[in-house]
Amino acid sequence: FTPTGSLNTARYEHTATFLSDGKVLVAGGRDSAAVASASAELYDPATGTWAGTGNLNIARVDHTATLLPNGKVLVAGGKDSSGNNSAAAELYDPLSGTWTVTGSPNTARAFHTATLLSNGQVLVAVGEDNNVVASATAELYDPASGTWSVTGSLNVARFQHAATLLPNG
């Protein structure tokens, strides 16, 4: 490891997404006062520096961030600033540095996974539901329409798990 520039805002329980231009988007998380944050910033590995970018529309922690084929980043779910699981999603556009609200998932969840599928859709699976218990539900986000649809459930409820796209899709 070698030292590099420091974040502008100390945070944890955030996401970090490698963007198409080689920069890294860091979004949300808890700040040094343990409060959910809506701030986001970009890391440039070529210069080792951090720069602010547009803020999320909703402060959130324990959410997912998925790079879409069009270069935008889908941020979904997580816990809001009141500690409630969120059924909200938004898109980051690295060209403008702005966030826009997109369709809402059918289920509020945190501690879930989001996996980009080979057809360009995003599979969001299980996690903690509004009753603060593990869920077995899953849904698909379609970036072309900005809509969500319920899909098959897992056999076993779970959260804080991992998901990996296999070569066969």
Side-chain angles (χ1 to χ4, degrees), residues 16-41:
T17 309
F18 186 70
L19 302 177
S20 303
D21 66 1
K23 293 180 181 174
V24 178
L25 171 69
V26 171
R30 295 189 193 279
D31 63 19
S32 58
V35 176
S37 173
S39 74
E41 49 192 300

Side-chain angles (χ1 to χ4, degrees), residues 23-60:
K23 293 180 181 174
V24 178
L25 171 69
V26 171
R30 295 189 193 279
D31 63 19
S32 58
V35 176
S37 173
S39 74
E41 49 192 300
L42 294 168
Y43 175 70
D44 185 343
T47 62
T49 59
W50 292 87
T53 190
N55 286 342
L56 291 152
N57 290 291
I58 298 171
R60 55 180 88 221

Side-chain angles (χ1 to χ4, degrees), residues 127-156:
E128 177 188 273
D129 67 14
N130 267 341
N131 298 319
V132 193
V133 296
S135 169
T137 65
E139 50 192 302
L140 293 167
Y141 175 75
D142 182 354
S145 64
T147 59
W148 295 82
S149 59
V150 174
T151 190
S153 293
L154 279 72
N155 293 311
V156 177

Side-chain angles (χ1 to χ4, degrees), residues 92-161:
Y92 176 74
D93 183 345
L95 298 178
S96 64
T98 59
W99 295 88
T100 56
V101 174
T102 189
S104 293
N106 295 286
T107 303
R109 62 181 86 228
F111 305 112
H112 54 284
T113 57
T115 306
L116 179 66
L117 304 177
S118 48
N119 65 2
Q121 294 186 335
V122 179
L123 173 67
V124 171
V126 298
E128 177 188 273
D129 67 14
N130 267 341
N131 298 319
V132 193
V133 296
S135 169
T137 65
E139 50 192 302
L140 293 167
Y141 175 75
D142 182 354
S145 64
T147 59
W148 295 82
S149 59
V150 174
T151 190
S153 293
L154 279 72
N155 293 311
V156 177
R158 64 191 76 212
F159 69 101
Q160 294 182 328
H161 59 288

